[in-house]
Amino acid sequence: MDIAILLFDGVTALDAVGPFEVLSRVPDARVRFVAARPGPVRVGHGTWSLPAEAALGEVPHPDILVVPGGPGQEALMTDRPVLEWVARAHETSRWTTSVCTGSLVLAGAGVLRGVRATTHWLALEALERLGAIPVRDRVVVDGKVLTAAGVSAGIDMALHLAARLCGPQQAQAIQLAIEYDPQPPFGAGSPSTAPPDVVAEARRRSRFRSP
Amino acid sequence: MDIAILLFDGVTALDAVGPFEVLSRVPDARVRFVAARPGPVRVGHGTWSLPAEAALGEVPHPDILVVPGGPGQEALMTDRPVLEWVARAHETSRWTTSVCTGSLVLAGAGVLRGVRATTHWLALEALERLGAIPVRDRVVVDGKVLTAAGVSAGIDMALHLAARLCGPQQAQAIQLAIEYDPQPPFGAGSPSTAPPDVVAEARRRSRFRSP
């Protein structure tokens, strides 16, 4: 089973590595980072690079496609070769998935027209403008498309996917292996539970601020 | 504020990248991956490498030290230069932290003698044998030492640390930015909540199996 995680300049590292850590434990899965060109790909919010192991052309038909998000998503929206690769990969994929603003890339590739999907909470309106049906859930499944909310939600999405790939027993074993028994010190992980001033400040700074 | 995340051959990627994603958002934090030698460092469970941006000798006194775990932890236990760097860095650090079996490395460096600490649930006995006081919590704070349970717990630990570094308001803003509002599809993230047969199978396969 070939799993391709798309990298691009300005990808958020955890968007890619969260699903990697889960999916690499699925029996018989071969998880690879892919990008326009193989080699180092600069992460967002950092000074280092994740390595793309293959070029997009080398992996035209992955069984599973994972599109992470990050500040670099914006530039991808006009990157024809990447969008075309996503559209073609989706035609033959078993599962097409995204994390965070990766769903905007799926939408930009035409994959989400009329499809129920989620994204980072700040980008839900942008997702709607791109023709998807926005859903404010952590993980949304519509047909073979799985989309996750912001950054850390890729872990949850990958566990949902693992259950579909190798059954709930194995998915639970993976969850136990990575000890995913979350106990964040605050309840601020969602705009509906974070303090209103924290939410307002995040909206003010967002690159998705309504015009 | 200098934050050094230790890399080593066989480090679990999420152990390092979870805290990176949180701590890189702390104002004025400079987060670097460090290793015995700068350059690519092979991750566990994968075929790719995280890049060490500096050699240990270049960062002798980080303000904050993060030691991840992973299958490569075992080899580190007899790696004198790395253990000595950890011990020296701890002497002057503001905070010394670990994720997963990284706490065994801290213990191997002599940092945890009589200190309350946690680790991956499968490694708690090994931690005790190394002189620490094992605590079955997700994040344990003892003095300036913060230790986290397995793999994904590094995200929780880093949020605890962020609150200490820049206050709860900012830590909540970071939690909201990475949308850490976990909703795993199963409750199998801890040995006390996972199905007994899943726990038993994990124990059977563990490299920490009691002799």
Side-chain angles (χ1 to χ4, degrees):
Chain A
M1 187 166 33
D2 239 328
I3 304 181
I5 301 179
L6 177 67
L7 295 185
F8 51 88
D9 195 59
V11 65
T12 294
L14 185 54
D15 286 28
V17 171
F20 166 82
E21 207 59 66
V22 171
L23 299 175
S24 63
R25 288 170 164 83
V26 169
D28 302 320
R30 176 195 194 191
V31 189
R32 276 183 297 179
F33 292 136
V34 302
R37 279 165 299 282
V41 180
R42 184 62 63 99
V43 300
H45 311 285
T47 54
W48 53 281
S49 296
L50 281 168
E53 299 164 87
L56 299 181
E58 297 172 63
V59 190
H61 302 299
D63 298 298
I64 294 164
L65 167 63
V66 181
V67 181
Q73 161 269 326
E74 215 158 312
L76 276 198
M77 303 307 281
T78 53
D79 188 327
R80 292 315 316 169
V82 169
L83 295 179
E84 272 163 30
W85 179 82
V86 168
R88 294 236 175 100
H90 174 64
E91 281 173 18
T92 54
S93 72
R94 204 168 138 200
W95 295 99
T96 298
T97 76
S98 67
V99 182
C100 199
T101 52
S103 57
L104 302 183
V105 178
L106 291 185
V111 164
L112 296 188
R113 232 164 278 137
V115 174
R116 299 172 71 251
T118 194
T119 187
H120 192 282
W121 64 276
L122 280 167
L124 278 163
E125 287 171 32
L127 184 63
E128 185 167 27
R129 284 194 294 274
L130 289 164
I133 302 167
V135 181
R136 200 180 276 272
D137 275 343
R138 188 143 178 95
V139 176
V140 174
V141 189
D142 188 343
K144 71 172 185 178
V145 179
L146 269 86
T147 51
V151 190
S152 61
I155 301 172
D156 303 61
M157 183 279 287
L159 286 169
H160 277 274
L161 181 56
R164 284 162 170 83
L165 295 174
C166 56
Q169 175 99 354
Q170 194 69 38
Q172 290 176 90
I174 294 171
Q175 184 182 358
L176 184 59
I178 64 165
E179 209 165 341
Y180 191 43
D181 174 33
Q183 295 166 38
F186 305 102
S190 143
S192 58
T193 57
D197 53 341
V198 170
V199 177
E201 176 67 10
R203 283 198 198 281
R204 204 183 58 77
R205 288 163 169 262
S206 168
R207 67 182 168 98
F208 292 107
R209 201 155 43 136
S210 303
Chain B
M1 185 165 35
D2 239 329
I3 303 180
I5 301 178
L6 178 67
L7 296 185
F8 51 88
D9 195 60
V11 65
T12 294
L14 185 53
D15 287 28
V17 171
F20 166 82
E21 207 58 67
V22 171
L23 299 176
S24 62
R25 287 170 165 83
V26 169
D28 302 320
R30 178 197 193 189
V31 188
R32 276 183 296 179
F33 292 136
V34 302
R37 280 166 300 280
V41 180
R42 185 60 65 98
V43 300
H45 311 286
T47 53
W48 53 282
S49 296
L50 281 167
E53 299 164 86
L56 299 181
E58 296 173 63
V59 190
H61 302 298
D63 298 298
I64 295 163
L65 166 64
V66 181
V67 180
Q73 160 268 326
E74 214 159 313
L76 277 198
M77 303 307 280
T78 53
D79 187 327
R80 292 314 316 168
V82 169
L83 295 178
E84 273 164 29
W85 178 81
V86 169
R88 295 237 174 100
H90 174 64
E91 281 173 18
T92 54
S93 72
R94 203 168 138 199
W95 295 99
T96 297
T97 76
S98 67
V99 182
C100 198
T101 53
S103 58
L104 302 183
V105 178
L106 291 185
V111 164
L112 296 187
R113 233 163 277 136
V115 174
R116 299 172 70 252
T118 193
T119 186
H120 192 283
W121 63 276
L122 280 166
L124 279 162
E125 287 170 32
L127 184 63
E128 185 167 26
R129 284 195 293 274
L130 289 165
I133 302 167
V135 181
R136 200 180 275 272
D137 276 343
R138 187 140 179 97
V139 176
V140 174
V141 188
D142 189 343
K144 70 172 186 179
V145 179
L146 269 87
T147 51
V151 191
S152 62
I155 301 172
D156 303 61
M157 183 278 288
L159 285 169
H160 277 274
L161 181 56
R164 284 163 170 83
L165 295 175
C166 56
Q169 175 98 354
Q170 194 70 39
Q172 289 175 91
I174 295 171
Q175 184 182 358
L176 184 59
I178 65 166
E179 209 164 344
Y180 190 43
D181 174 33
Q183 295 167 39
F186 306 102
S190 142
S192 58
T193 57
D197 53 340
V198 170
V199 177
E201 177 67 9
R203 283 198 198 281
R204 202 184 59 77
R205 288 162 168 262
S206 169
R207 66 182 168 96
F208 293 106
R209 202 154 43 137
S210 303

